[in-house]
Amino acid sequence: MTTLIDAKLTTVLRRAAVRATRAPSVHNTQPWHFAVGPDRIEMRTEPDRRLQVLDPHGRQMLLSCGCALFNARVSLAEAGYAPVIERFPDPDEPGLFAVLRVDGADATTAGPDHDIAELATAIDLRQTNRRHFDDYPVPTDVVDDAVRAASIEGAEILVVTRPEDRIAVAM
């Protein structure tokens, strides 16, 4: 049997995987592994890169992997593709945290990820910053924008405003 491979789609998927590696990760551990297929990117955690003391339960590793997934989505959206995303698609393979499938048909700028395409330039500009945070409060409109953006993604941001909340979050 002969398989026809869409060269453009393959290039787009490879670029998305490379750009996924530019995502922020806890202490720059990059705890992920990607496999690119003819119509997909399979994204797996790399448990050996989890920081045993700092991240005993793998929460920071998973957040880092989520950032990589988002970068891949942004890259695909910029190329005009809206992938179908399966999160944790195989209970027998818990390290497989996502599969992004892309229809090889004509790319479209429609779809749920179209609005995130404009973030693609930020992927290439991102840098690690290990400096201390300033002491001034984050402006309310910035916090509100972050809460809205998280909501669109199906997530929730807990805004930390009280000292006791800071302690609870730091645990």
Side-chain angles (χ1 to χ4, degrees), residues 136-148 159:
Y136 61 84
V138 177
T140 304
D141 60 324
V142 173
V143 173
D144 292 344
D145 286 348
V147 169
R148 260 190 306 283
V159 180

Side-chain angles (χ1 to χ4, degrees), residues 40-55:
R40 76 186 68 205
I41 302 173
E42 295 180 358
M43 306 179 96
R44 290 177 172 77
T45 60
E46 280 288 339
D48 291 344
R49 293 186 186 168
R50 180 174 59 85
L51 301 173
Q52 301 295 323
V53 174
L54 180 67
D55 190 20

Side-chain angles (χ1 to χ4, degrees), residues 84-126:
V84 173
I85 302 164
E86 297 175 73
R87 290 171 176 87
F88 301 101
D90 186 351
D92 293 330
E93 192 178 347
L96 180 62
F97 67 89
V99 175
L100 287 83
R101 294 186 202 296
V102 179
D103 182 353
D106 290 334
T108 176
T109 54
D113 280 352
H114 174 66
D115 290 343
I116 65 173
E118 65 190 40
L119 299 174
T121 55
I123 293 172
D124 301 318
L125 298 175
R126 193 199 74 74

